[in-house]
């Protein structure tokens, strides 16, 4: 936390985007996606993520002010988790592509961007921890606080690892399952880290519903959606359809190889 920390915060978004682009272009072949398409969907994903974060920031500010508080947020990282897949599903529908395969490619790198952004929070001093005698000084509130951002950054690492595990072991799992699993993990981690965050006395967003913060309530809602998505993707109907599509694609590839051999 220092003067100019906000610039570092936004710069970390760009660093995350650069890493995201490099990894997606490198790995797109694993998902039968061309490099040009990987570049396009990565750009769209980044725009959707930033847009989702800004939208969530506006929503948080509006709710906080409607409750008589002074809370404000230009961008909320949680919004990228919530709104990015929604915006992407519309985009994938427009280009008529298998959104689950593309989302599998994007999932780990989405959380790499979020990890970088969360790392930037350490310099910006936003999302401060509770006031304590140890920790780091936060000039925004003029107190020494628990370094919750640093711990949140570290706990983003297993989310990224889980994303890569599910997409690299894709033959064992249903397509598209990486996102609800990683989003669910993020919500669980975020829910518990909220207990270590600082809220000014009387802040309605810190006691939003039944003693829970606004973000804890959001985590519960998104986690329920993740469970529903997980169950739908693992339903017999979806599995049978995926098997039929996989068999048809295998037969098509076999026919193309046979035709190629005849030409030779």
């Amino acid at each position: 936390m220092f003067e100019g920390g906000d610039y570092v915060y936004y710069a970390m978004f760009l660093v995350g985007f650069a890493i995201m682009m490099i990894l997606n272009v490198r790995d797109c072949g694993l998902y039968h996606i061309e490099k040009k398409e990987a570049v396009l969907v990565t750009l769209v994903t980044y725009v959707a993520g930033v847009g989702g974060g800004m939208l969530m920031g506006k929503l948080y500010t509006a709710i906080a002010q409607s409750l008589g508080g002074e809370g404000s947020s230009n961008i909320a990282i949680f919004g990228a988790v919530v709104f990015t897949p929604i915006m992407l599903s519309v985009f994938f529908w427009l280009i008529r592509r298998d959104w689950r395969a593309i989302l599998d490619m994007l999932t780990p790198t989405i959380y790499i961007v979020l990890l970088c952004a969360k790392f930037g929070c350490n310099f910006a001093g936003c999302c401060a921890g509770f006031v304590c005698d140890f920790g780091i000084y936060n000039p925004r509130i003029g107190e020494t606080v628990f370094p919750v951002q640093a711990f949140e950054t570290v706990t983003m690492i297993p989310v990224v690892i889980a994303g890569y595990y599910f997409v690299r072991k894709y033959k064992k799992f249903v397509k598209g399952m990486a996102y609800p699993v990683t989003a669910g993990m993020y919500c669980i981690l975020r829910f518990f880290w909220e207990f270590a965050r600082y809220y000014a006395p009387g802040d309605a967003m810190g006691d939003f519903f039944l003693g829970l913060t606004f973000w804890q309530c959001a985590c519960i809602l998104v986690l329920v959606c993740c469970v529903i998505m997980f169950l739908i993707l693992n339903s017999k109907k979806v599995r049978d359809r995926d098997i039929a599509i996989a068999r048809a694609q295998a037969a098509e590839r076999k026919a193309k190889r046979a035709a190629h051999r005849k030409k030779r």
Side-chain angles (χ1 to χ4, degrees), residues 17-47:
F17 170 69
I19 296 173
M20 182 186 201
M21 181 66 75
I22 292 170
L23 293 178
N24 286 344
V25 171
R26 184 196 69 180
D27 297 338
C28 61
L30 297 173
Y31 313 96
H32 307 292
I33 298 171
E34 295 182 359
K35 289 187 177 182
K36 289 182 179 179
E37 187 175 25
V39 171
L40 175 61
V41 297
T42 299
L43 286 170
V44 172
T45 301
Y46 184 75
V47 172

Side-chain angles (χ1 to χ4, degrees), residues 4-227:
D6 286 341
Y7 295 106
V8 177
Y9 172 66
Y10 290 114
M12 290 308 299
F13 274 94
L14 296 177
V15 171
F17 170 69
I19 296 173
M20 182 186 201
M21 181 66 75
I22 292 170
L23 293 178
N24 286 344
V25 171
R26 184 196 69 180
D27 297 338
C28 61
L30 297 173
Y31 313 96
H32 307 292
I33 298 171
E34 295 182 359
K35 289 187 177 182
K36 289 182 179 179
E37 187 175 25
V39 171
L40 175 61
V41 297
T42 299
L43 286 170
V44 172
T45 301
Y46 184 75
V47 172
V50 174
M54 294 176 67
L55 180 59
M56 181 61 83
K58 297 294 184 183
L59 179 63
Y60 179 87
T61 300
I63 294 175
Q65 292 179 353
S66 70
L67 296 175
E70 298 180 356
S72 63
S73 177
N74 293 325
I75 185 168
I77 292 176
F78 196 87
V81 177
V82 175
F83 294 113
T84 297
I86 297 175
M87 295 179 181
L88 288 180
S89 63
V90 175
F91 173 72
F92 295 152
W93 177 78
L94 290 174
I95 65 174
R96 300 183 182 278
R97 284 304 308 268
D98 182 357
W99 64 269
R100 289 188 292 155
I102 299 178
L103 193 58
D104 274 344
M105 179 191 73
L106 294 170
T107 292
T109 55
I110 286 174
Y111 286 96
I112 288 176
V113 176
L114 296 184
L115 188 154
C116 291
K118 183 57 65 177
F119 180 76
C121 286
N122 291 278
F123 297 90
C126 56
C127 312
F130 59 82
V131 177
C132 59
D133 295 331
F134 56 92
I136 54 179
Y137 180 75
N138 189 312
R140 289 180 181 267
I141 62 176
E143 299 280 359
T144 299
V145 299
F146 178 75
V148 66
Q149 304 102 318
F151 285 95
E152 284 193 61
T153 302
V154 173
T155 53
M156 286 291 292
I157 296 175
V159 178
V160 174
I161 293 174
Y164 271 114
Y165 175 79
F166 273 88
V167 297
R168 292 299 172 86
K169 301 289 185 179
Y170 68 95
K171 291 183 179 179
K172 296 183 179 180
F173 302 105
V174 178
K175 287 188 300 182
M177 199 162 65
Y179 200 86
V181 171
T182 52
M185 286 181 63
Y186 175 79
C187 288
I188 292 171
L189 292 169
R190 177 63 184 271
F191 181 91
F192 285 104
W193 281 124
E194 273 294 301
F195 289 112
R197 290 201 176 199
Y198 170 82
Y199 286 91
D203 187 344
M205 303 304 274
D207 187 9
F208 186 73
F209 182 70
L210 297 178
L212 300 176
T213 70
F214 171 82
W215 296 116
Q216 285 176 320
C217 293
C219 285
I220 293 173
L221 179 60
V222 175
L223 183 59
V224 170
C225 293
C226 289
V227 172

